[in-house]
Amino acid sequence: MPHKLYLQDVTLRDGMHPIQHQYSKQQIRDIAMALDKAGVDAIEVSHGDGLTGGSFNYGFGAHTDWDWLEGIAENLQHAKLTTLLIPGIGTIEDLKRARDLGVVSVRIATHSTEADISAQHIEAARNLGMDVSGFLMMAHMNDARGLAQQAKLMEDYGALCVYVTDSAGALLMDGVRDRIRAFKDVLKSETEIGIHCHHNLSFGVANTIVAMEEGANRLDASLAGMGAGAGNCPLEVLVAVLNKMGKKHNADLFPLMDLADDVIRPMQQRPVQVDRETLSLGYAGVYSSFLLHAERAAEKYGLDTRAILNELGKRKMVGGQEDMIIDVALDMARKGQK
């Protein structure tokens, strides 16, 4: 029996990146309540880089994760309050603290070849009675078979769902299709499959639909695409497409459209859109949250952001190496590269 479609909103986690993690507590509360009323199944809240991601390397938030999470769960009528944790940034103690604040679901995120570092955190989440997913980031950097082997590890550790996470927005539709099929070949039928897409090559919605057609049921999206780089699969567009396809889900389209246009777009300090810089992320296969870091380095050292992003792609840099963007820019400046 196919799993029911499950729409997870990431406006309040991935959507932290374009505003440099500066949501106020009131904004978090108001948007979460509105998303809940509009019928999304899960609402993810944390710093853009997961629990306790606020740092010099990733950027300090306007508040702590605990401040953002406080008072949300008890006011949700439908949606699950969820969060994200990257081992090495967040700890098991952080996970316990989030659970105490009403978080019932968590994604444990690793690079696409490093599922083995998630074992303790997945086990701890299961022991806390949480719905836990594995989140394999930068999925384009591992082939379909290799990524499926990593997904199997996460399943063995206790993950109830595993995500193909296109953090760079670099996958084409065949790339998504092959990875979901590979997951289906190795995972148990009861293990759910998720898809998380970025829009850097304008495939956010298309890749999400392809994944769904191949068997993914947990679909990530955000209001107005609010997220790193050119943003995530835009939630209101995805819901409109699902409606036209006759797919059953719990979300209400018009309120989501209103939230996207009336609340989220006015917040965007840098428009979340496909432009020459965000397109370069997908083209070079670079982690979407590198965008603002690369733009600042380009301005400081008189370089073209696209050139920096292309160099980061050549060096196969991954999430967690944000501090090295300055080193790359300095190296390029010394060599007279523009």
Side-chain angles (χ1 to χ4, degrees):
M1 180 180 295
H3 297 289
K4 183 179 179 181
L5 284 184
Y6 181 100
L7 301 182
Q8 177 141 328
D9 179 85
V10 297
T11 306
L12 303 179
R13 198 277 304 168
D14 215 322
M16 287 278 184
H17 290 292
I19 58 169
Q20 302 180 68
H21 319 285
Q22 297 302 302
Y23 280 120
S24 70
K25 290 180 63 175
Q26 191 63 49
Q27 286 171 327
I28 291 281
R29 179 184 174 86
D30 290 347
I31 294 167
M33 297 308 105
L35 284 165
D36 180 59
K37 188 175 180 180
V40 300
D41 298 295
I43 300 167
E44 188 169 74
V45 178
S46 78
H47 184 279
D49 293 279
L51 290 178
T52 66
S55 64
F56 180 80
N57 196 29
Y58 301 114
F60 292 101
H63 300 279
T64 67
D65 296 289
W66 324 121
D67 289 334
W68 282 320
L69 287 166
E70 185 179 20
I72 302 296
E74 54 262 40
N75 289 294
L76 297 179
Q77 300 299 312
H78 165 73
K80 291 181 178 180
L81 180 60
T82 187
T83 196
L84 181 134
L85 184 148
I86 301 176
I89 299 176
T91 67
I92 290 173
E93 290 305 310
D94 296 326
L95 189 61
K96 291 177 180 177
R97 189 170 180 181
R99 185 71 184 91
D100 289 341
L101 287 168
V103 174
V104 296
S105 179
V106 64
R107 278 106 71 89
I108 307 299
T110 76
H111 184 62
S112 59
T113 59
E114 297 178 355
D116 58 324
I117 70 171
S118 69
Q120 295 180 47
H121 298 79
I122 290 174
E123 180 183 8
R126 288 296 303 272
N127 289 338
L128 289 168
M130 302 177 79
D131 168 73
V132 57
S133 297
F135 202 67
L136 288 165
M137 301 186 292
M138 299 292 279
H140 75 286
M141 295 184 74
N142 200 347
D143 63 23
R145 183 172 178 273
L147 195 70
Q149 291 171 342
Q150 297 292 304
K152 181 61 178 171
L153 286 176
M154 287 179 155
E155 181 188 67
D156 291 344
Y157 301 149
L160 302 172
C161 173
V162 188
Y163 276 76
V164 173
T165 307
D166 187 16
S167 316
L171 285 174
L172 304 182
M173 287 181 282
D174 283 347
V176 171
R177 183 177 291 109
D178 291 345
R179 284 162 176 78
I180 300 295
R181 288 179 178 177
F183 275 28
K184 296 283 286 185
D185 287 341
V186 302
L187 298 179
K188 300 172 185 176
S189 60
E190 61 265 30
T191 300
E192 297 183 67
I193 297 173
I195 183 70
H196 176 100
C197 294
H198 281 260
H199 206 52
N200 301 332
L201 292 176
S202 292
F203 280 120
V205 176
N207 280 348
T208 302
I209 296 299
V210 166
M212 179 196 70
E213 291 178 335
E214 293 296 335
N217 71 297
R218 295 202 183 194
L219 313 180
D220 275 17
S222 64
L223 293 165
M226 188 71 159
N232 296 91
C233 171
L235 177 60
E236 66 282 2
V237 181
L238 177 63
V239 169
V241 172
L242 292 174
N243 286 353
K244 289 182 72 68
M245 294 178 72
K247 300 296 182 180
K248 292 183 179 180
H249 58 83
N250 296 316
D252 191 350
L253 176 59
F254 282 9
L256 294 175
M257 293 168 70
D258 292 341
L259 278 171
D261 278 9
D262 299 340
V263 177
I264 298 301
R265 291 191 203 280
M267 289 184 186
Q268 294 175 354
Q269 299 169 3
R270 183 196 192 283
V272 176
Q273 63 188 16
V274 179
D275 54 32
R276 60 191 171 193
E277 288 81 20
T278 60
L279 175 57
S280 297
L281 290 165
Y283 188 68
V286 174
Y287 199 52
S288 291
S289 63
F290 281 8
L291 175 64
L292 298 183
H293 298 275
E295 288 184 330
R296 286 194 292 266
E299 182 178 1
K300 185 172 183 178
Y301 297 108
L303 301 171
D304 188 326
T305 302
R306 293 170 294 180
I308 296 176
L309 293 172
N310 191 54
E311 183 64 24
L312 297 176
K314 288 179 180 178
R315 298 189 188 196
K316 299 188 182 302
M317 290 175 64
V318 301
Q321 295 181 308
E322 283 83 351
D323 56 331
M324 293 180 66
I325 294 173
I326 291 293
D327 293 338
V328 171
L330 280 168
D331 190 37
M332 293 173 66
R334 280 195 297 265
K335 293 178 180 177
Q337 294 174 254
K338 296 295 183 180

